[in-house]
Amino acid sequence: MEAPKPEEISHPPMDQLQGLEYCIDSNPSWGEAIALGFQHYILALGTAVMIPTFLVPLMGGTDNDKVRVVQTLLFVEGINTLLQTLFGTRLPTVIGGSWVFMVPIISIIHDSSLVAIDDPHLRFLSTMRAIQGALIVASSVQIILGYSQLWGIFSRFFSPLGMVPVISLVGFGLFDRGFPVVGRCVEIGIPMLILFVAFSQYLKHFQTKQLPILERFALLISVTVIWAYAHLLTASGAYKHRPELTQTHCRTDRANLISSAPWLVVVFPSISKVTISNVFRHIPTSMGFSLIKIPYPLQWGAPTFDAGHAFGMMAAVFVSMIESTGAFKAASRLASATPPPAHVLSRGIGWQGIGILFDGLFGTVTGSTVSVENVGLLGTTRVGSRRVIQISAGFMIFFSILGKFGALFASIPFTIFAAVYCVFFGLVGYDSLAFSASVGLSFLQFTNMNSLRNLFITGVSMFLGLSIPEYFREYTAGALHGPAHTEAGWFNDFLNTVFLSSPTVALIVAVFLDNTLDYKDSARDRGMPWWAKFRAFKGDSRNEEFYTLPFNLQRFFPPS
């Protein structure tokens, strides 16, 4: 038998992923781009609805308050996504609400001075203003680290080996939002998971007019089918005698979003109510029209500021910055772009800080980060086009204004989104381990994995990145407070937030070990020769194509 050739045994390292239909600056037809953008919007809805649904009742808010917060969050998400894709990293990333802010936000909600307020509506407004103030102050961390280029300088300590666990755990670390939520309504979640995998993977070669429609629009088709199925179960009375918790997770009419959302949202809040009433005085009230203001800065009132709240929120901002860094690098590979140079990464972090500032000014009840699930959608559709993400941002803004229609889509049961997350959180990585965080693992091709040093660093950082946050979660669930439980609330929030984040723990461990353990003689094993050419904007000729600012702004902001 003839000996195999070297190229038949292993695959050479490749800067860009293969098999993508559209990269960052190539675009599908307008019709296809609009459909793909709507698909990204539907996916972003999951987090945009889940976070306010969880937090607003704890703050004393009503269903009407919840609808307004959802609309505000979607509106600001659209603005932040447009700003990031135009002036930030320019990668096809959706900037959405983040769960990493939960610890400091819940700490604010349980602040004794706010809990003492008897009137629920007044308590909601006071709590919202306190969260706004903390977000506004904490946003300065990302703005300063970004625009001062300090984050870009710090990123020079990142090697391909060090970023493997960080990028991987951006997806792995969110496993509790996948199948555990699917299991709350298995008759909806399991069919959704099976149908989506079947369409996106097994039937992906099915084409209509040379368009792989099942692969490209697997999310849209499967969500529509299962949503209709869930509505049929609800309408037929299948959950009539089921436990209340089951009905909450399975029924399509329990979100109370459609009934609470207005038919029409006034676009110009400065117009007087008298003028608006004159315009619509001939509309019968039986049509159900309701007029509210479009989301605008300080709509809940003037923010209040507390040093303890702000310090706790700064930890969440720091964590969101780390998770976004991993997501940016994952998105660059799924968009067939080069890794973002240091100054581009800093620019993106700076704009994300401005996004968190907007969150605080508008009152979205949480901060922003890169949406991991939308990064995963780039992989399943094989479309990494920037234009598609910008169109999805347009849908976010449009449907946040047309409240009734946005609420219709937002009534999709959470279980359906959780089934999709089982694939997308794993798709933040694209090469192995059943699509599980494999973009991160794909960076291993640039390192020497025959090195015991590298095996040690990768294994320890990934294990601790999963194990330490799990300890914090279990401790919190049992004791109703985090392991850090001192008299200083801001200190507790800081530590509990940092160590609840898998990517953050992985970054701390991996970067420390990678830069202290035999690092002088291990540059090649760490993958530094491959990484070095992408650090500077002019290090690779393709960077100009992917990351140059639009409207000839590059001449005013030359790369450092």
Side-chain angles (χ1 to χ4, degrees):
M1 182 178 178
E2 185 179 354
K5 299 177 182 178
E7 60 270 18
E8 295 175 342
I9 299 175
S10 62
H11 298 278
M14 303 187 73
D15 292 345
Q16 296 172 304
L17 288 174
Q18 303 299 299
L20 297 173
E21 293 289 335
Y22 298 97
C23 65
I24 185 172
D25 53 0
S26 62
N27 303 304
S29 65
W30 277 105
E32 187 178 351
I34 290 172
L36 287 166
F38 184 71
Q39 193 167 229
H40 275 277
Y41 160 73
I42 289 294
L43 186 58
L45 263 180
T47 302
V49 174
M50 285 183 196
I51 292 178
T53 298
F54 174 68
L55 290 177
V56 170
L58 296 178
M59 299 162 62
T62 63
D63 286 337
N64 287 329
D65 295 324
K66 180 172 66 176
V67 168
R68 285 189 64 189
V69 174
V70 170
Q71 291 174 333
T72 301
L73 182 54
L74 279 173
F75 184 79
V76 177
E77 278 187 16
I79 293 175
N80 288 341
T81 299
L82 282 177
L83 291 174
Q84 188 65 242
T85 55
L86 283 172
F87 309 115
T89 60
R90 308 211 70 218
L91 289 166
T93 50
V94 170
I95 307 299
S98 174
W99 290 94
V100 304
F101 292 83
M102 288 301 103
V103 171
I105 289 174
I106 291 176
S107 178
I108 293 173
I109 291 173
H110 291 152
D111 188 286
S112 58
S113 62
L114 296 172
V115 173
I117 301 175
D118 294 328
D119 182 3
H121 182 64
L122 181 59
R123 178 158 58 89
F124 168 75
L125 291 177
S126 300
T127 305
M128 177 65 81
R129 294 168 186 169
I131 294 172
Q132 287 182 259
L135 285 170
I136 290 171
V137 174
S139 66
S140 62
V141 172
Q142 283 198 5
I143 293 174
I144 293 172
L145 289 177
Y147 291 119
S148 68
Q149 298 294 315
L150 285 174
W151 188 246
I153 294 171
F154 181 70
S155 70
R156 296 180 183 276
F157 293 98
F158 302 162
S159 70
L161 179 69
M163 291 308 295
V164 165
V166 179
I167 301 173
S168 298
L169 294 185
V170 167
F172 265 144
L174 300 171
F175 64 88
D176 58 326
R177 263 162 261 161
F179 204 83
V181 180
V182 171
R184 296 173 186 173
C185 187
V186 291
E187 59 267 39
I188 294 176
I190 296 296
M192 178 64 198
L193 179 59
I194 293 173
L195 197 63
F196 179 74
V197 172
F199 284 165
S200 64
Q201 304 302 321
Y202 289 97
L203 301 176
K204 62 183 178 182
H205 299 298
F206 176 81
Q207 295 190 354
T208 301
K209 295 182 179 180
Q210 297 184 335
L211 176 67
I213 189 167
L214 290 182
E215 178 190 43
R216 200 64 50 84
F217 304 108
L219 173 66
L220 206 54
I221 297 171
S222 55
V223 165
T224 302
V225 171
I226 301 300
W227 187 19
Y229 165 63
H231 187 69
L232 181 64
L233 290 177
T234 300
S236 65
Y239 301 110
K240 190 174 181 180
H241 303 294
R242 300 290 294 276
E244 187 66 24
L245 193 60
T246 300
Q247 295 192 42
T248 300
H249 293 302
C250 298
R251 295 179 68 101
T252 58
D253 58 358
R254 283 305 177 95
N256 295 329
L257 294 175
I258 298 178
S259 59
S260 302
W263 277 105
L264 184 64
V265 181
V266 176
V267 177
F268 303 104
S270 59
I271 298 178
S272 69
K273 189 174 182 180
V274 174
T275 304
I276 295 171
S277 299
N278 289 335
V279 173
F280 293 100
R281 66 180 181 274
H282 299 299
I283 298 176
T285 56
S286 60
M287 291 181 66
F289 279 83
S290 175
L291 300 176
I292 68 169
K293 295 179 180 179
I294 191 176
Y296 61 95
L298 308 185
Q299 61 183 328
W300 309 105
T304 58
F305 300 93
D306 180 273
H309 296 165
F311 275 117
M313 197 68 76
M314 285 180 183
V317 169
F318 177 70
V319 169
S320 76
M321 180 170 60
I322 291 174
E323 294 191 357
S324 292
T325 298
F328 282 140
K329 292 185 180 294
S332 68
R333 280 190 68 74
L334 289 171
S336 199
T338 54
H343 102 280
V344 172
L345 187 61
S346 284
R347 191 173 71 194
I349 293 300
W351 275 106
Q352 186 174 311
I354 291 178
I356 295 175
L357 176 63
F358 286 162
D359 291 329
L361 290 173
F362 280 82
T364 63
V365 87
T366 188
S368 298
T369 191
V370 176
S371 171
V372 181
E373 52 268 39
N374 287 89
V375 173
L377 186 55
L378 301 177
T380 59
T381 60
R382 295 194 294 154
V383 176
S385 169
R386 182 189 298 123
R387 176 184 292 174
V388 167
I389 300 302
Q390 292 170 340
I391 290 173
S392 76
F395 278 118
M396 294 175 199
I397 296 172
F398 179 75
F399 284 117
S400 68
I401 294 174
L402 293 180
K404 209 69 167 179
F405 297 99
L408 173 66
F409 299 120
S411 68
I412 300 171
F414 296 158
T415 308
I416 293 179
F417 290 110
V420 176
Y421 293 167
C422 288
V423 179
F424 287 146
F425 285 152
L427 253 170
V428 181
Y430 197 51
D431 273 319
S432 63
L433 209 56
F435 288 134
S436 201
S438 39
V439 159
L441 297 180
S442 72
F443 278 95
L444 290 175
Q445 66 182 305
F446 308 112
T447 67
N448 177 16
M449 291 312 291
N450 290 315
S451 164
L452 290 175
R453 171 194 181 275
N454 288 1
L455 291 173
F456 174 81
I457 293 173
T458 304
V460 169
S461 57
M462 291 194 72
F463 182 82
L464 292 180
L466 287 170
S467 186
I468 292 177
E470 182 61 20
Y471 163 73
F472 272 70
R473 276 190 288 267
E474 288 186 2
Y475 191 103
T476 303
L480 300 181
H481 60 75
H485 187 59
T486 67
E487 294 296 325
W490 64 269
F491 178 78
N492 302 336
D493 292 344
F494 196 96
L495 285 185
N496 291 330
T497 300
V498 167
F499 290 103
L500 270 170
S501 167
S502 292
T504 304
V505 174
L507 179 80
I508 294 171
V509 175
V511 171
F512 175 78
L513 292 176
D514 193 35
N515 287 277
T516 57
L517 186 61
D518 298 330
Y519 70 97
K520 291 184 178 180
D521 302 321
S522 305
R524 185 178 177 186
D525 287 348
R526 299 164 63 199
M528 295 304 286
W530 174 80
W531 195 270
K533 64 180 178 181
F534 299 116
R535 283 180 173 173
F537 189 80
K538 296 182 180 179
D540 191 290
S541 59
R542 294 168 293 179
N543 288 339
E544 185 172 351
E545 174 188 357
F546 300 139
Y547 300 114
T548 299
L549 291 172
F551 315 123
N552 205 23
L553 291 174
Q554 198 76 13
R555 61 191 179 120
F556 300 108
F557 304 98
S560 55

